[in-house]
Amino acid sequence: MLRPQDTATRETKRLDGRWAFALDPEGVGRSEGWFAGPLRDARAMPVPASFNDIAADASVRDYFGDVWYQRVVRVPRGWDGQRIVLHFESATHRATVWVGSTEVVSHEGGYTPFAADVSADVVAGDEVRVTVCVNNTLSFQSIPPGVIEDSPTGKKQLYWHDFFNYAGLHRSVWLVATPVAHIDDVTVVTGLAGVTGTVAYEIVAVGAEGLDARVVLRDASGAEVATGPGASGVLTVPDVHRWAPGDGYLYDLEVQLVDGGEVVDSYHQSVGVRTVEVRGAEFLVNGEPVYFKGFGKHEDVGVIGKGHSDAHLVHDFELMSWIGANSFRTSHYPYSEEVLDYADQQGFLLIDEVAAVGLNMGLGGGIFGGQGYTTFSPETINDATREVHAQAIRELIARDKNHPSVVLWSIANEPESDTEGAEAYFEPLFQVARDADPSRPVGFVNVMLAPYGTCRVSQFGDVLMLNRYYGWYVNTGDLAGAEVAWRKELEGWAGENKPIIITEYGADTMPGLHSLTPQPWSEEYQVDYLDMNHRVFDSIDAVVGEHVWNFADFATTPGIMRVDGNKKGVFTRDRTPKNAAFALRKRWASS
Ligand code: GCB
């Protein structure tokens, strides 16, 4: 599915702004046909935003179930005869959409786009009512998983991931006009042979019988550098300007459907020419070893929760550039496509992660969620879950396959991985990712509960991604002991001859808390903790990257281990630096 775009043949109308919004705690909206007329007792809800923190009302913040969004939109009068599409960049975690009283699409999964062809349901120049029922409940068959438990005070939603279950319409909603004969998808894969670049392309067109496809590749100044006839082919770019970490150079591939001399449809795909390869314990971009410096992040800020905001996007990248980061992981779900576009432009390397987080009933021991479940079983995470998970992988790759910034797929964060059930669950999912994209390495993020020698899933990955908290959750306050234990474990992993990226290491830190001796929670301890980790990483060649957990403090469910959220940020939630930010800048910005 292509992103909405204004081109010579396409037009878009963004439907962001204030929508009418209503909770549906009894779950009666569908049977009562709430889509058939104006929502009753509605309040205003901004889109894009999580709904949770907008109202001054705990029953909204902690709500789970169906919620309804509605607005009226006028279809541009010039769109007569066009194919008209209603496009959602995401709806967390699932949605059903009506145009007028007609149901047009449903979608499962909270972080990937979906769309409906509504040409038959709208009239150019007329108003139409758009209603969306969004549901944010998590179950053993959702990605991420959760469970609803009965309690003496009613039903409670539990989940095993350590971030707040923000939900709603987090990203833009669009009305799009394209020609009826249209380009439906484009895939590019780039290569390098010395100073010559190659761009292999493949176009999928719909309703285009009798039309020809062609492509034009232009450099950043707009000069034409290659053209190609046909729906697939390989362009060569002599003296190519490579896309590289810190150099987000992008070409523009214009894809066209033509009827003789007339351009029937045109779509622009940006292209960064680069290669990615894992060789032994090295991670190579353009044949050169890279070292990942950066963070695990979240889409998380005050008031709007996981709602996309360009101001926060640009500011976060400014802070990451200031600190000397060259990469981050989209922990723990696919981020807004605006983030991916900007990472392409800024030359950042991304580990792009599916929302498969919390597939581990051993985690938290009742701190983050309930106890007493088996992770993989017919009643819990089962074959049906794996199908949903596989679809989430396919949708992530379909969405992000053309981004040069994406150099590695992560198909899960910290699942149970030391059991037979885990091995059986994950092996086919690695294949799903490889089938969807043979051009990039694939991995998953290993948890401390499956240390070296016990993990049965890492054998399937091209890269080892490890989250470790020596000196925080274990050896708390004992950095000397932590250093010995951590180095010992890492030396074991290094024997696997795969590149190792430390995808999480971090210590909760209360900004403003200081201590003369290294006390956990103090700003000094966070700095010492990071230093200790860096000594360990620097002593092991197979370590090719370090991502501190986390870029910024973030919201979680309440818990005795969390003070107003998770405080492992190097920046506070409102992006004020802690001492660790300056310490990291010394290490990263100078290397
Ligand atoms: C982890 C998880 C991350 C948590 C973090 C923590 O291993 O991957 O989601 O927030 O630990 O701070 O406990």
Side-chain angles (χ1 to χ4, degrees):
M1 181 185 323
L2 295 177
R3 283 195 79 184
Q5 199 179 79
D6 284 296
T7 72
T9 61
R10 294 171 170 234
E11 253 183 277
T12 65
K13 178 169 178 166
R14 234 189 244 257
L15 307 188
D16 297 357
R18 289 191 300 279
W19 290 51
F21 176 87
L23 304 181
D24 182 7
E26 311 300 328
V28 295
R30 284 168 190 260
S31 57
E32 291 182 358
W34 288 10
F35 46 82
L39 277 184
R40 273 169 295 165
D41 302 323
R43 62 170 93 213
M45 188 54 69
V47 173
S50 300
F51 63 74
N52 309 76
D53 288 344
I54 299 293
D57 185 345
S59 68
V60 177
R61 178 170 164 91
D62 298 328
Y63 181 85
F64 59 91
D66 286 345
V67 301
W68 293 75
Y69 286 78
Q70 191 179 69
R71 66 162 284 174
V72 170
V73 50
R74 186 174 293 280
V75 181
R77 63 199 165 104
W79 287 10
D80 204 20
Q82 303 287 298
R83 167 179 168 262
I84 300 177
V85 174
L86 183 58
H87 180 107
F88 292 80
E89 291 188 20
S90 68
T92 314
H93 293 281
R94 64 190 61 77
T96 302
V97 182
W98 293 260
V99 167
S101 291
T102 308
E103 185 178 322
V104 294
V105 68
S106 286
H107 181 257
E108 173 71 27
Y111 305 95
T112 43
F114 58 96
D117 183 336
V118 296
S119 313
D121 309 295
V122 303
V123 174
D126 282 5
E127 286 190 333
V128 66
R129 190 179 56 251
V130 176
T131 308
V132 191
C133 176
V134 179
N135 179 284
N136 68 341
T137 57
L138 300 172
S139 74
F140 280 114
Q141 278 66 55
S142 65
I143 291 292
V147 68
I148 293 171
E149 288 186 341
D150 288 320
S151 85
T153 54
K155 292 190 182 304
K156 307 273 184 225
Q157 170 82 74
L158 297 181
Y159 45 89
W160 302 274
H161 55 265
D162 181 34
F163 55 93
F164 189 76
N165 185 30
Y166 280 117
L169 296 178
H170 287 151
R171 300 170 191 161
S172 288
V173 181
W174 305 77
L175 209 51
V176 184
T178 78
V180 175
H182 62 277
I183 300 154
D184 204 48
D185 196 20
V186 48
T187 307
V188 295
V189 177
T190 62
L192 288 168
V195 295
T196 303
T198 56
V199 179
Y201 67 93
E202 202 173 325
I203 302 162
V204 178
V206 170
E209 293 75 25
L211 301 183
D212 293 321
R214 70 173 186 220
V215 295
V216 182
L217 189 71
R218 298 186 180 87
D219 69 15
S221 73
E224 204 172 292
V225 294
T227 58
S232 64
V234 182
L235 305 177
T236 53
V237 189
D239 247 334
V240 69
H241 188 144
R242 298 167 176 202
W243 186 98
D247 184 5
Y249 190 91
L250 296 173
Y251 290 86
D252 173 60
L253 183 75
E254 184 180 357
V255 180
Q256 296 176 334
L257 282 183
V258 290
D259 187 359
E262 188 204 348
V263 176
V264 176
D265 193 14
S266 153
Y267 190 83
H268 291 263
Q269 173 64 56
S270 54
V271 177
V273 181
R274 58 104 184 92
T275 61
V276 176
E277 191 193 341
V278 168
R279 195 185 300 151
E282 287 186 321
F283 196 104
L284 308 175
V285 174
N286 302 333
E288 305 276 330
V290 290
Y291 192 87
F292 294 77
K293 299 178 288 183
F295 300 97
K297 282 187 98 252
H298 266 298
E299 291 189 310
D300 176 274
V301 289
V303 184
I304 59 173
K306 294 204 176 307
H308 173 73
S309 130
D310 273 329
H312 290 99
L313 161 72
V314 175
H315 187 54
D316 279 6
F317 272 81
E318 289 286 332
L319 294 178
M320 286 193 287
S321 296
W322 170 85
I323 209 168
N326 63 5
S327 57
F328 61 94
R329 174 168 59 119
T330 71
S331 40
H332 294 310
Y333 36 83
Y335 287 5
S336 159
E337 289 161 89
E338 303 288 349
V339 177
L340 281 278
D341 280 350
Y342 201 60
D344 291 344
Q345 291 160 20
Q346 298 293 307
F348 267 68
L349 304 171
L350 297 192
I351 303 173
D352 206 0
E353 190 158 275
V354 172
V357 53
L359 285 75
N360 195 334
M361 305 305 132
L363 265 185
I367 291 161
F368 304 144
Q371 286 173 302
Y373 296 102
T374 304
T375 304
F376 299 102
S377 80
E379 293 75 40
T380 53
I381 311 253
N382 58 18
D383 289 351
T385 317
R386 185 168 56 198
E387 204 25 66
V388 176
H389 192 159
Q391 181 63 12
I393 293 171
R394 286 186 207 105
E395 289 188 22
L396 171 69
I397 295 178
R399 193 194 76 161
D400 291 349
K401 63 188 173 187
N402 292 333
H403 287 283
S405 54
V406 176
V407 294
L408 172 58
W409 303 114
S410 166
I411 65 166
N413 179 70
E414 297 196 342
E416 177 179 301
S417 63
D418 56 352
T419 55
E420 203 181 323
E423 186 174 339
Y425 179 89
F426 274 103
E427 186 173 6
L429 292 177
F430 278 86
Q431 199 51 48
V432 167
R434 293 188 204 289
D435 289 347
D437 179 13
S439 79
R440 289 179 182 84
V442 184
F444 89 108
V445 174
N446 161 284
V447 65
M448 198 147 184
L449 298 178
Y452 176 66
T454 67
C455 183
R456 300 173 64 145
V457 176
S458 47
Q459 57 174 319
F460 304 122
D462 301 305
V463 175
L464 299 168
M465 292 187 270
L466 307 179
N467 291 354
R468 289 297 182 276
Y469 289 91
Y470 289 98
W472 187 254
Y473 290 122
V474 295
N475 303 100
T476 315
D478 171 18
L479 292 178
E483 185 164 350
V484 171
W486 192 188
R487 184 171 285 109
K488 183 164 184 287
E489 193 199 341
L490 206 44
E491 278 167 353
W493 287 107
E496 304 274 289
N497 195 31
K498 290 182 183 180
I500 301 172
I501 302 174
I502 311 304
T503 33
E504 288 184 25
Y505 61 112
D508 283 273
T509 303
M510 278 309 281
L513 182 71
H514 295 287
S515 77
L516 197 61
T517 58
Q519 295 301 311
W521 291 93
S522 69
E523 295 209 27
E524 288 73 18
Y525 188 81
Q526 190 180 29
V527 171
D528 288 355
Y529 169 95
L530 295 176
D531 281 349
M532 178 278 287
N533 274 273
H534 297 151
R535 279 195 299 277
V536 174
F537 306 162
D538 291 347
S539 67
I540 295 187
D541 288 345
V543 173
V544 301
E546 53 194 52
H547 279 174
V548 176
W549 190 257
N550 188 284
F551 171 73
D553 296 344
F554 58 91
T556 64
T557 51
I560 53 167
M561 307 248 284
R562 297 288 174 256
V563 185
D564 184 34
N566 188 308
K567 288 277 182 284
K568 294 191 186 70
V570 164
F571 296 93
T572 61
R573 198 179 191 214
D574 61 8
R575 278 43 175 177
T576 306
K578 300 180 189 173
N579 282 354
F582 299 94
L584 280 172
R585 183 168 192 252
K586 272 202 187 116
R587 175 173 168 87
W588 288 347
S590 59
S591 63

